Amino acid sequence: SCSRTDAAKKVDVLISVIGDVTLESKNDIEKAEIAYNGLSKEEQKQVWKYKKLKKARDKYNILLRNDKSERLEKLLGLIGTVELNDESNIKSARNLYNTFDEEGKSSFEHYQDLLDAESKLKKLKIMQVEKIINKIGEVSSTSGIAIKEAFYQYNKLSYEEKSNVTNSDVLINAKETYKKIVEGNKGKLRKNVDRPRNLIFYESTAE
């Protein structure tokens, strides 16, 4: 048989460097894999420790999967009863879950908890916006700040969440009514130093 090339020998050395596999082994495994994949088919046959590399990769994937599952369980445990200030934890949990491989996703036992938390959060966000819209009340020349705040909170919602806000028409109507009041009072507003902010708000936020 042909003598081994230096490149094939180097891959065996890189595989030996891996040692006992831990979560810190990622770089060593990847270095060996990149070097192995860079060999010709003939040279790959000359790598004696390829099985060891494959076992190292499989073990690392299992360790990583277990670590992610544990971290996700902890995150979900932190959430408990869902409140509005849990949004960052729920987003972190979703982002972490999205990094799972297919096997990790199918074997994670608490996925329904994540779905339930996301669903509850959506409802809370929608309810909060509905309350802010209701607080606008009867529209007057001093309603600018309340309408602006309601629009700000409404626009933070996703398209799906917006479509579930039951009183969004109240917000649109309030804006239109406010627009008419501001236009009707333009002459007065120019003379009154206390009012221009309302006019500025209308002009900068009108759609």
Side-chain angles (χ1 to χ4, degrees):
S1 65
C2 301
S3 61
R4 298 204 302 151
T5 65
D6 288 342
K9 289 175 187 174
K10 185 186 172 187
V11 173
D12 273 331
V13 171
L14 288 172
I15 294 169
S16 295
V17 168
I18 296 167
D20 292 334
V21 177
T22 67
L23 284 168
E24 281 70 53
S25 302
K26 181 176 185 261
N27 288 343
D28 289 338
I29 293 169
E30 285 181 352
K31 271 184 197 172
E33 286 173 336
I34 290 165
Y36 178 82
N37 291 333
L39 298 177
S40 67
K41 296 286 182 202
E42 207 52 51
E43 284 178 314
Q44 285 179 354
K45 291 175 189 173
Q46 298 170 16
V47 175
W48 293 342
K49 297 182 179 178
Y50 176 67
K51 278 186 181 174
K52 186 181 175 187
L53 175 58
K54 198 166 182 313
K55 278 184 185 174
R57 166 53 71 186
D58 291 343
K59 186 176 179 185
Y60 176 78
N61 285 347
I62 290 167
L63 288 174
L64 184 63
R65 200 175 294 136
N66 291 343
D67 178 65
K68 284 181 178 181
S69 291
E70 283 173 24
R71 283 191 285 140
L72 185 48
E73 279 178 33
K74 279 181 187 171
L75 262 178
L76 291 173
L78 285 173
I79 294 163
T81 303
V82 178
E83 296 174 3
L84 282 167
N85 59 10
D86 289 314
E87 184 166 9
S88 64
N89 277 338
I90 292 170
K91 279 185 175 175
S92 295
R94 166 55 65 184
N95 291 338
L96 179 56
Y97 179 81
N98 287 345
T99 67
F100 283 24
D101 59 18
E102 286 311 309
E103 197 171 330
K105 284 178 179 176
S106 61
S107 63
F108 186 68
E109 295 175 358
H110 303 282
Y111 184 55
Q112 190 59 46
D113 293 344
L114 175 57
L115 292 177
D116 291 345
E118 287 174 328
S119 175
K120 177 69 175 168
L121 179 67
K122 277 181 187 175
K123 285 176 185 169
L124 289 174
K125 285 166 74 178
I126 291 163
M127 282 167 60
Q128 181 195 39
V129 170
E130 288 173 344
K131 280 182 187 173
I132 292 169
I133 292 171
N134 285 333
K135 276 185 186 174
I136 294 169
E138 190 178 342
V139 180
S140 70
S141 60
T142 60
S143 299
I145 291 169
I147 295 170
K148 184 179 181 181
E149 173 64 15
F151 262 106
Y152 173 73
Q153 296 297 337
Y154 178 78
N155 286 328
K156 278 162 68 176
L157 300 178
S158 68
Y159 179 81
E160 183 201 346
E161 288 162 352
K162 282 178 183 174
S163 67
N164 285 298
V165 173
T166 57
N167 57 354
S168 57
D169 58 324
V170 174
L171 180 57
I172 304 300
N173 291 337
K175 182 177 172 181
E176 289 305 310
T177 304
Y178 182 72
K179 174 183 175 181
K180 286 172 187 170
I181 291 169
V182 170
E183 285 175 347
N185 290 345
K186 264 184 182 173
K188 296 176 196 172
L189 287 167
R190 285 195 192 97
K191 294 171 190 171
N192 190 332
V193 293
D194 295 327
R195 295 290 175 82
R197 271 183 301 175
N198 283 335
L199 178 61
I200 290 161
F201 150 65
Y202 163 63
E203 288 177 341
S204 63
T205 60
E207 289 172 348

